[in-house]
């Protein structure tokens, strides 16, 4: 919006006309200077008066109609009124947008908050009160780490590496009445934290876990009995051509069932352990890698080139030794099973960046297509079912690895290309957990 210059020019004309009138009046009356001074004084007074009216009108918060004086002041008031009413409309629009945004965030069923530097709470919705015990008015501006004291949660925040990746943590609400899935999403220099109530989902998951654990446990005894009898049959009838084939087949299948049940039971144990850390100790990685290498040599039986590359300066990792051993053994056994004879397998233990420690198994095997990578850690997910079964796989190895790593707040990174081998890397945070 432009100020009309013609009103300014008119005012200049008016001033010139006024001055000429004053000069003439001064000459006629013989009091030239006095008439000029009185005229200019009255003119200044007129401006001062309208300036006062303007200040009064502009300082009122309400948008009232402006006074309508004569001359340039009329145009000034008119121009300012238009400007103010436009601003008023704009701020009403922003206000209503903000209201709608607030209503929308309140309608979100999840606790949502924006965190700034040093985890300071910049904004939070009312669900944060029931889910996390935070007070929307009182707690804004305070660091979240001072309000939520769960060591697991603080470790989760501190392990955040600012690489722009979203991270998720499952934890109990501070009053222990809910189970929450907390997502931390970085944007710009801030974070969006979303806590979702997954209590029901957690209960269903517990029922499923218990069911699988119980069924596996119940099947173990009858299967041991069947295996025992099969051994006896094999002893007595193993040389009889009529039965030998079927007995061998039955033994193979019962062995496979035993392996599946053992893996299911191991998976249940690891899942149950995920919530606590009482088994955590300092694991001597140099020793463990040495044991794993010997196991690998025995498994491969000379069919592969097996090498080890470890950083001796990092001898210890805080964790559950038997779980870590199961996870690492699964990765090595996969590398051996899915790498053709003559291939190479490398086991590595090294530091990555400032905070990460990695246990890695690389093979020159058949590799995996990109589309499968995301689903590999699902139970019973196999790229090729026949190949997995033939090599003695249960389809549970990588699911076990995933849960062991979850328990250690670590993650599994997989790089693979068909025909170019695979790299399975377990990435641990160096700092203590829990
Ligand atoms: P399995 O007992 O079938 O090996 P896992 O959970 O250990 O089950 O692995 C899931 C699938 O991932 C396997 O069936 C296989 O297709 C693929 N896989 C795992 N490790 C490798 C590897 N090193 N090279 C190629 N494929 C692999």
């Amino acid at each position: 919006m432009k100020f009309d210059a013609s009103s300014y020019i008119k005012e200049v004309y008016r001033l010139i006309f006024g001055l000429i009138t004053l000069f003439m009046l001064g000459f006629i009356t013989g009091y030239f200077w006095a008439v000029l001074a009185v005229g200019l004084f009255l003119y200044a007074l007129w401006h001062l008066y309208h300036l006062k009216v303007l200040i009064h009108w502009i300082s009122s918060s309400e948008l009232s109609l402006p006074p309508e004086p004569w001359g340039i002041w009329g145009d000034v008031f008119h121009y300012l009124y238009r400007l103010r009413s436009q601003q008023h409309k704009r701020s009403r629009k922003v206000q209503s947008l903000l209201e709608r945004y607030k209503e929308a965030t309140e309608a979100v069923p999840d606790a949502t908050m924006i965190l700034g530097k040093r985890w300071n709470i910049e904004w939070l919705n009312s669900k944060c009160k029931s889910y996390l015990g935070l007070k929307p008015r009182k707690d804004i501006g305070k660091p979240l780490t001072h309000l939520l004291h769960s060591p697991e949660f603080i470790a989760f925040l501190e392990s955040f590496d600012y690489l722009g990746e979203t991270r998720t943590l499952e934890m109990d609400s501070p009053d222990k009445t809910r189970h929450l899935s907390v997502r931390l999403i970085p944007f710009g220099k801030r974070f969006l934290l979303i806590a979702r109530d997954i209590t029901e989902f957690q209960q269903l998951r517990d029922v499923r876990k218990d069911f699988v654990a119980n069924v596996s446990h119940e099947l173990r005894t009858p299967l041991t009995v069947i295996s025992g009898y099969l051994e006896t049959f094999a002893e007595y009838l193993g040389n009889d051509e009529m039965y030998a084939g079927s007995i061998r087949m039955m033994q193979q299948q019962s062995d496979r069932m035993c392996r599946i049940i053992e893996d299911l039971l191991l998976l249940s144990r690891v899942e149950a352990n995920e919530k606590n850390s009482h088994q955590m100790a300092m694991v001597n990685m140099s020793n463990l890698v040495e044991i794993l290498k010997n196991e690998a040599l025995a498994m491969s039986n000379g069919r592969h080139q097996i090498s080890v590359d470890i950083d001796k300066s990092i001898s210890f990792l805080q964790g559950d030794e038997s779980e870590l051993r199961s996870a690492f053994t699964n990765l090595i056994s996969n590398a051996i099973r899915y790498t053709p004879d003559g291939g190479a397998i490398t086991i590595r233990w090294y530091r990555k960046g400032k905070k990460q420690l990695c246990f890695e198994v690389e093979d020159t095997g058949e590799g995996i297509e990109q589309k499968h990578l995301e689903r590999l850690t699902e139970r019973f997910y196999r790229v090729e079912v026949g190949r997995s079964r033939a090599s003695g796989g249960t389809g549970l190895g990588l699911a076990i690895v995933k849960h062991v790593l979850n328990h250690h707040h670590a993650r599994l990174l997989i790089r693979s290309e068909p025909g170019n081998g695979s790299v399975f890397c377990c990435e641990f945070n160096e700092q203590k957990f829990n």
Side-chain angles (χ1 to χ4, degrees):
M1 187 184 6
K2 273 190 176 171
F3 185 65
D4 186 5
S6 69
S7 60
Y8 176 74
I9 294 166
K10 272 190 217 156
E11 185 63 21
V12 173
Y13 283 151
R14 244 179 254 131
L15 186 63
I16 295 169
F17 178 73
L19 281 173
I20 294 170
T21 316
L22 286 176
F23 285 148
M24 281 168 48
L25 216 67
F27 277 120
I28 293 166
T29 55
Y31 296 103
F32 178 79
W33 291 112
V35 170
L36 191 65
V38 169
L40 288 177
F41 176 70
L42 287 175
Y43 184 67
L45 217 61
W46 180 72
H47 275 302
L48 276 175
Y49 168 73
H50 284 108
L51 211 58
K52 183 182 151 266
V53 175
L54 175 69
I55 292 169
H56 179 72
W57 177 70
I58 225 158
S59 58
S60 85
S61 54
E62 296 250 325
L63 180 67
S64 56
L65 276 174
E68 284 187 27
W70 171 82
I72 194 168
W73 283 105
D75 292 331
V76 168
F77 274 109
H78 183 64
Y79 172 75
L80 284 176
Y81 178 69
R82 270 198 302 170
L83 213 66
R84 279 191 81 191
S85 56
Q86 271 181 8
Q87 255 175 4
H88 203 69
K89 260 190 222 158
R90 231 176 280 150
S91 77
R92 271 215 316 252
K93 222 171 165 182
V94 172
Q95 189 86 23
S96 87
L97 213 73
L98 268 175
E99 288 296 324
R100 260 180 287 157
Y101 174 73
K102 217 173 132 192
E103 276 168 23
T105 51
E106 288 305 330
V108 172
D110 306 327
T112 312
M113 69 179 90
I114 294 176
L115 300 171
K117 257 189 187 172
R118 289 192 204 93
W119 311 113
N120 268 4
I121 302 175
E122 293 189 354
W123 174 87
L124 54 134
N125 71 356
S126 59
K127 278 278 184 307
C128 290
K129 190 173 177 199
S130 43
Y131 284 18
L132 299 164
L134 302 175
K135 295 169 199 95
R137 279 173 197 229
K138 252 178 97 186
D139 291 337
I140 284 184
K142 293 182 188 166
L144 185 59
T145 40
H146 290 191
L147 301 166
L148 297 181
H149 304 291
S150 147
E152 193 188 9
F153 180 68
I154 291 176
F156 168 68
L157 291 183
E158 282 172 358
S159 70
F160 207 83
D161 50 15
Y162 298 91
L163 288 180
E165 278 176 47
T166 300
R167 286 227 180 161
T168 311
L169 169 79
E170 282 189 22
M171 63 176 212
D172 286 332
S173 61
D175 61 5
K176 307 271 180 261
T177 56
R178 294 169 202 267
H179 193 67
L180 302 173
S181 162
V182 180
R183 290 182 79 196
L184 195 60
I185 306 156
F187 68 99
K189 288 187 175 168
R190 293 182 167 73
F191 298 91
L192 182 67
L193 186 144
I194 300 174
R196 173 164 295 175
D197 184 353
I198 54 161
T199 316
E200 250 176 66
F201 172 66
Q202 169 73 5
Q203 281 161 353
L204 283 173
R205 211 164 41 179
D206 285 346
V207 170
R208 197 251 310 147
K209 269 190 231 165
D210 288 349
F211 175 75
V212 173
N214 290 338
V215 167
S216 314
H217 197 73
E218 291 299 324
L219 286 176
R220 200 190 210 173
T221 319
L223 211 69
T224 315
V225 175
I226 292 172
S227 297
Y229 277 116
L230 281 173
E231 241 171 74
T232 317
F233 287 156
E235 221 171 277
Y236 289 103
L237 302 169
N239 295 327
D240 189 327
E241 258 182 43
M242 206 170 132
Y243 300 108
S246 347
I247 291 174
R248 211 176 316 115
M249 180 74 86
M250 283 194 282
Q251 270 185 316
Q252 276 169 6
Q253 293 305 320
S254 84
D255 283 351
R256 203 164 83 78
M257 276 169 79
C258 281
R259 278 200 306 276
I260 293 177
I261 284 170
E262 288 309 322
D263 272 0
L264 278 173
L265 285 169
L266 175 61
L267 197 53
S268 305
R269 271 200 306 277
V270 175
E271 272 189 305
N273 269 352
E274 254 174 74
K275 282 194 196 141
N276 58 56
S277 53
H278 58 266
Q279 304 283 356
M280 297 292 180
M282 282 309 203
V283 179
N284 187 326
M285 283 301 285
S286 309
N287 287 351
L288 183 57
V289 173
E290 195 52 40
I291 295 170
L292 291 170
K293 185 192 168 185
N294 291 333
E295 275 180 9
L297 286 169
M299 264 190 262
S300 161
N301 202 15
R303 289 179 294 128
H304 307 94
Q305 246 181 291
I306 294 174
S307 52
V308 168
D309 178 7
I310 70 166
D311 180 345
K312 291 241 164 75
S313 71
I314 31 170
S315 339
F316 291 98
L317 171 71
Q318 193 179 17
D320 178 325
E321 180 155 1
S322 88
E323 278 190 8
L324 289 173
R325 189 167 164 174
S326 302
F328 298 160
T329 305
N330 270 313
L331 293 181
I332 294 170
S333 125
N334 279 353
I336 291 171
R337 287 189 295 117
Y338 297 108
T339 302
D341 292 0
I345 290 153
T346 313
I347 303 166
R348 294 194 190 89
W349 170 241
Y350 61 96
R351 190 185 299 279
K352 181 174 164 192
K354 280 186 189 159
K355 284 185 173 177
Q356 263 78 39
L357 300 178
C358 293
F359 175 87
E360 192 173 276
V361 180
E362 181 172 1
D363 64 56
T364 56
E366 59 201 46
I368 309 157
E369 269 184 77
Q370 197 67 25
K371 64 176 183 194
H372 297 293
L373 295 186
E374 226 172 82
R375 301 194 56 195
L376 283 189
T377 54
E378 285 174 22
R379 284 150 208 247
F380 298 113
Y381 186 86
R382 284 119 151 179
V383 176
E384 232 185 286
V385 182
R387 176 107 174 70
S388 156
R389 281 192 189 144
S391 64
T394 58
L396 293 166
L398 292 180
I400 293 171
V401 173
K402 185 181 99 173
H403 284 283
V404 169
L405 295 188
N406 280 352
H407 185 198
H408 290 75
H409 303 294
R411 57 182 180 159
L412 179 67
L413 305 171
I414 309 171
R415 297 193 306 276
S416 188
E417 246 180 74
N420 276 333
S422 317
V423 181
F424 287 77
C425 173
C426 308
E427 194 182 275
F428 297 86
N429 292 315
E430 198 172 9
Q431 73 257 63
K432 288 180 182 176
F433 24 82
N434 299 340

